[in-house]
Amino acid sequence: MNTTTSRNWLLKYKLYHIPFWCLYHYLWWVVAIGNPLKAANSIILFPFYIKFGFYVIFQAAAVYFNLYYLIPKYLEKGKYTAYISLLVLTIGATACAIVGGYYLCAVVSGKTFEALFGPGDYCFLHFFGNALPSTLASMTLAMSIKLTRSWLQTKRRQQLLEKEKLETELNFLKNQFNPHFLFNTINSIFFLIHKNPDVASASLAKFSELLRHQLYECNDKQIALSKEIGYLENSIELEKLRLNSNVEVSFDFQQQPASHLSIAPFILMTFVENAFKHVSKHAGAPNWIRIQLQLQGSLLVFTVANSSATDEYSAPIIDYGGIGLKNVQRRLDLVYPGQYELDILRNADSFEIRLQLQLAAARMPQLLST
């Protein structure tokens, strides 16, 4: 208990900085005198260590007074005139106190000031020649370190806040998509229960598989591409069960090794769901959905096209398909900045999206998860 209290006291009052200040002033004397041995003698020998102690104690006190009182109370609040005035007074008072250490050395040693430090205008020489420049240098160094540290902390805090903001947005968009998809799927199964109970049973089995994928396999920001493709295939089969026979659905994907690649979950499914939602329902005209997925190395090329009624294009493209397309475009901007191209083509009787996405290698824990 006593050890902890003592350590906290040392940390609170910055006493662990004393070795730094001793080394700093020693280096200052080495530069001023030009000889490390003479500098050491002028510091550790009696009575010169008194003078050295005055440098260490009073300059450290001035530095911390500036950093922890003057800057927060005046500089950070925009009181520049008061801050500069008090800073000048602090530097002047510190230099005067340090000069007093020279005189104390003479008194303690029983020698004259001239005998210890040489002839001359003692006060003027040691104030302007030694104490004042040394105090200015220590104040400047400390402020530079403090301001640089504060800048780095502020920048790191801004980066963390931006990261948290992006993660919050991603979680919101992902959570917004899941209820959107579940709502449509439940409506489809409800429709099938009345139309064909056997087909509804098969749909529930597919739906169960989709829920397992969502609940247990999509908790990471990236999942194996092979799992996402399997989820996509199940979703397409589920959607096909509730479609009328006059809607032709094709999914063209040449099976290739994809376990080494990863993708953000639900990116592809949003486009597919949008196509099923807005496919045309003409009685005497072709109705179709064409889905194509290609892998060119780590580049995924995904195309989804569907026939659509002419009157569906009265709204702007960004509103076509509701919140689904808005969400996926926002997720692409957040997760794959500069790594994707999304083209949306609108014709008189069709709607097509083409996504080119640069994928990353899957991590081992994702490949081994079940």
Side-chain angles (χ1 to χ4, degrees), residues 6 8 30 75 84 104 125 128 144-145 168-170 184 202 211 256 264 269 282 291 330 337:
S6 176
N8 292 337
V30 169
L75 182 61
I84 294 174
L104 184 59
L125 174 64
F128 290 99
S144 300
I145 295 174
T168 300
E169 289 180 342
L170 284 175
N184 289 342
L211 288 179
Q256 300 181 32
M269 185 55 208
H282 299 298
I291 305 168
R330 179 58 177 157

Side-chain angles (χ1 to χ4, degrees), residues 142-159:
M143 288 186 67
S144 300
I145 295 174
K146 175 70 174 179
L147 293 176
T148 301
R149 183 181 177 184
S150 298
W151 178 79
L152 291 174
Q153 290 176 343
T154 301
K155 185 175 181 180
R156 189 179 299 112
R157 189 180 303 111
Q158 290 175 344
Q159 291 174 343

Side-chain angles (χ1 to χ4, degrees), residues 49-61:
Y49 61 77
I50 298 176
K51 173 197 66 177
F52 181 74
F54 270 59
Y55 271 94
V56 172
I57 294 172
F58 284 100
Q59 286 191 6

